[in-house]
Amino acid sequence: MSERPPSAHPDARAFTAHQDPFARNHLPPAAQWPDFRFDGAGISYPARMNCGCVLLDDAIADGHGPRPAVRADSASWTYAELLERSNRIANVLVSDLGVVPGNRVLLRGANSPYVLAAWLAVVRAGAIAVTTMPMLRAKELSQIAAKAEVEHALCDARLVPELEQAARDTGRLGKILSWGDGRLEALMQARPATFRPVETSRDDTCVIAFTSGTTGTPKATMHFHRDVIAMADVVGGHLLETSPDDVFAGSPPLGFTFGLGALLAFPLRFRASTVLVEQPSPENLLAAVARYRVTALFTAPTMFRALAALAKNFDVSSLRCAVSAGEPLPKATSDLWHAATGLRLIDGIGATEMMHIFISAKGADIRPGSSGRPLPGYEARVLDDSGQPLPPGKVGRLAVRGPTGCRYLDDPRQAEYVVGGWNITGDRYLVDADGYFWFQSRADDMIVSSGYNIAGPEVESALIGHPAVREVAVIGAPDEQRGQIVKAYVVLQPGQVGSAELTRALQDFVKAAVAPYKYPRVIDFVDQLPKTPTGKVQRHVLRQQLRDASAR
Ligand code: 3UK
């Protein structure tokens, strides 16, 4: 067993437990790796480590077996019960499906105790979990199965048809086993309740996560056993100070690394419990908070806005923190939530490439409207177009490095995301004199109108403060005179009707909140906005619609 510094690129001589070398063979070339930094976060891990064992087996060894691990309307299991389920599934994977360490296993289902137990089974068997979001269709599942070369899948019986279609389309996914219809359950009963986990290397891949992809073909990010524990220690530990009495809940799917961290890795790492809500509507989430006395809640800004409006109808007194990520959090939404619950939202920017959140702030350190400061272990900078660091107050490209970072599976776009050891997230930010980072826009969402640079999200933040507005997206629309003009797509609150008067009222509202030249010259009232499976607004789809319309 070699004791290499964990920042090194695993070479062919380094220990691996993988019999199937697919992951290692498709890592980026060593020269294109980000710098990995562990100082500052106070973390170091043994060379041999299986994150599934750290999360589960070690919890039992520490005496947490009888304590609640996962709760849902369908089933609630203690740590001991979760271990038994996970062991039986692992035995089925190995003995019935023929999974060997290093194989990719696709998981498909709404957030539920079964997905959680299956994830732990895959990882503890030394295989690689490819958890997919339930709303993905055959086309996207095909891209995933082809890219990650997936032969094995565990799938909720209700979601099997699309997966079988993907199997036919790709010739992959030869072994699909369903649960919920008794098939996996019967095999589990026939297999032992004990399982000996595979002793993986901390540098063996255990997760392949696909980016929600605003454009182009989806990118697959590879994460090691050590990365799963690093995100838990940095975000679950340093930021959230998780204790065994915590109860976690939220909306992000376990197939989104936001959900993998928040609803699986963080609670289990700190021997807390997780509440999985299959259909995370605003009402269902608030009902779960009240019913299970949830202490930590995770979702996206739009959902917090909906929750704030309904919170008075539910008992949310158990909450001690609430974390917003995935999209910029408008100050107006942060204020609404504060007024409704007395709690200040924790905003945090994360990315699939980085595994989880890397800039955030908590408690008295929160400055509403800012993402916060780099978490322990992370460094962040704002760079100009030539890659030089910019002084405070100047807007440029966000660059970050720390204990986790980007490794695309066999993808030339690695050279765009990692430059000189820094991860370039594609966001435009400024840092202030106090070291707080302020989101401006995605690099491709900047609007240039009559020579002025206008950040779409700033106009969105202003509009969302208006009580008639439920959701909003702002883009630059082509304009002969000005190059581009600011155009807003607005979803109104129920009962509100779009009109010329309302358009004027919204325009005046923006002019009063930000520099008047940024106001939306055009406002379209729409029923809904195009979104990714992770709930992000797809502004490029709106831009494409405009291009298609003008080409006609
Ligand atoms: C944007 C934010 C402003 C930003 C994610 C938490 O969103 C996650 O991962 P994705 O790969 O997208 C990454 C991009 O989303 N973004 C995310 N959070 C914020 N922008 N403020 C925020 N708080 O453009 C980033 O580059 O889907 C979030 C944890 C895990 C994740 N994977």
Side-chain angles (χ1 to χ4, degrees):
M1 183 170 71
S2 61
E3 275 290 348
R4 294 168 295 106
S7 55
H9 179 269
D11 61 43
R13 289 154 303 165
F15 173 80
T16 175
H18 284 183
Q19 291 167 33
D20 174 346
F22 173 84
R24 188 157 298 193
N25 289 347
H26 290 86
L27 286 168
Q32 290 181 14
W33 274 41
D35 282 344
F36 287 103
R37 308 254 158 165
F38 296 88
D39 358 319
I43 52 180
S44 75
Y45 306 118
R48 297 285 285 269
M49 171 169 87
N50 184 316
C51 68
C53 299
V54 175
L55 297 176
L56 183 55
D57 303 63
D58 293 359
I60 310 274
D62 293 346
H64 293 272
R67 299 190 52 255
V70 52
R71 317 200 51 187
D73 293 346
S74 56
S76 288
W77 298 333
T78 62
Y79 275 86
E81 288 166 337
L82 176 60
L83 179 76
E84 190 207 312
R85 270 26 169 235
S86 168
N87 283 346
R88 289 184 189 274
I89 298 174
N91 284 316
V92 170
L93 287 173
V94 172
S95 305
D96 293 295
L97 296 191
V99 168
V100 301
N103 282 171
R104 282 72 55 217
V105 180
L106 187 146
L107 302 176
R108 176 164 162 80
N111 284 359
S112 73
Y114 255 86
V115 178
L116 186 124
W119 189 92
L120 290 163
V122 169
V123 167
R124 291 168 68 248
I128 299 171
V130 185
T131 316
T132 58
M133 274 161 306
M135 47 156 73
L136 297 190
R137 318 298 302 206
K139 178 168 169 278
E140 292 127 330
L141 294 167
S142 294
Q143 290 174 326
I144 289 171
K147 180 90 193 176
E149 300 188 9
V150 187
E151 296 304 332
H152 304 93
L154 298 178
C155 181
D156 184 317
R158 293 166 291 181
L159 300 176
V160 164
E162 292 282 331
L163 197 56
E164 283 179 339
Q165 183 62 46
R168 282 191 293 276
D169 293 347
T170 56
R172 300 255 170 218
L173 296 168
K175 289 179 179 160
I176 299 175
L177 181 58
S178 49
W179 75 79
D181 54 1
R183 292 183 62 220
L184 172 62
E185 291 88 337
L187 293 175
M188 284 167 69
Q189 278 321 305
R191 293 291 169 193
T194 56
F195 175 78
R196 181 202 272 241
V198 173
E199 280 186 53
T200 46
S201 160
R202 71 182 163 207
D203 294 351
D204 279 331
T205 296
C206 66
V207 166
I208 295 181
F210 282 78
T211 63
S212 22
T214 45
T215 43
T217 53
K219 293 174 261 192
T221 64
M222 308 169 85
H223 298 290
F224 294 171
H225 285 269
R226 69 174 211 238
D227 301 325
V228 174
I229 303 304
M231 75 163 159
D233 287 345
V234 173
V235 185
H238 286 297
L239 179 67
L240 303 174
E241 301 175 272
T242 309
S243 83
D245 292 330
D246 273 310
V247 182
F248 281 49
S251 70
L254 291 168
F256 182 24
T257 61
F258 182 24
L260 177 69
L263 303 176
L264 191 158
F266 307 169
L268 297 188
R269 172 66 165 151
F270 295 97
R271 319 318 184 200
S273 64
T274 183
V275 175
L276 298 175
V277 182
E278 278 213 19
Q279 303 285 339
S281 65
E283 290 79 8
N284 288 353
L285 272 183
L286 287 167
V289 169
R291 172 162 181 204
Y292 298 105
R293 307 286 307 156
V294 169
T295 63
L297 182 63
F298 301 79
T299 185
T302 346
M303 179 66 94
F304 275 118
R305 198 171 150 76
L307 297 182
L310 297 172
K312 58 181 180 303
N313 306 329
F314 295 84
D315 177 6
V316 296
S317 60
S318 54
L319 284 177
R320 76 168 178 86
C321 68
V323 180
S324 171
E327 286 216 284
L329 173 66
K331 185 173 177 302
T333 302
S334 174
D335 290 345
L336 268 185
W337 178 260
H338 186 249
T341 65
L343 281 177
R344 201 34 99 174
L345 271 178
I346 296 179
D347 188 11
I349 175 171
T352 308
E353 288 83 352
M354 302 300 299
M355 189 125 230
H356 217 273
I357 293 170
F358 48 86
I359 294 177
S360 187
K362 63 176 166 198
D365 288 342
I366 295 174
R367 299 200 180 165
S370 162
S371 306
R373 288 179 291 191
L375 293 181
Y378 289 93
E379 291 170 82
R381 294 171 154 187
V382 176
L383 307 177
D384 68 14
D385 289 338
S386 66
Q388 293 308 305
L390 283 165
K394 297 276 186 225
V395 176
R397 295 185 301 156
L398 181 67
V400 48
R401 64 182 185 188
T404 60
C406 177
R407 306 177 198 96
Y408 287 135
L409 192 164
D410 185 26
D411 202 312
R413 291 170 287 188
Q414 177 76 17
E416 291 162 28
Y417 203 96
V418 177
V419 178
W422 291 81
N423 301 275
I424 311 291
T425 66
D427 298 292
R428 293 178 65 77
Y429 261 82
L430 69 78
V431 57
D432 68 18
D434 299 332
Y436 276 77
F437 285 76
W438 299 79
F439 176 85
Q440 306 296 309
S441 72
R442 288 285 305 169
D444 36 17
D445 286 339
M446 191 58 88
I447 302 164
V448 185
S449 185
S450 304
Y452 286 109
N453 277 350
I454 301 168
E458 190 186 357
V459 184
E460 292 170 7
S461 288
L463 277 168
I464 203 81
H466 192 284
V469 177
R470 184 188 180 99
E471 288 185 55
V472 57
V474 167
I475 62 167
D479 181 79
E480 277 188 14
Q481 277 173 20
R482 301 173 200 271
Q484 286 185 315
I485 52 167
V486 178
K487 173 165 187 180
Y489 295 80
V490 170
V491 182
L492 292 170
Q493 296 284 16
Q496 297 284 341
V497 198
S499 65
E501 287 73 45
L502 187 54
T503 297
R504 256 193 313 281
L506 292 177
Q507 289 172 327
D508 290 343
F509 189 76
V510 173
K511 287 182 191 170
V514 297
Y517 68 87
K518 298 176 181 171
Y519 85 94
R521 285 174 188 270
V522 183
I523 297 182
D524 270 14
F525 296 105
V526 294
D527 293 337
Q528 56 179 37
L529 299 171
K531 292 203 181 139
T532 65
T534 52
K536 286 188 220 291
V537 175
Q538 294 171 303
R539 293 178 191 78
H540 71 279
V541 171
L542 297 171
R543 284 193 288 263
Q544 188 60 46
Q545 284 171 3
L546 279 183
R547 280 194 293 272
D548 293 349
S550 67
R552 247 184 260 127

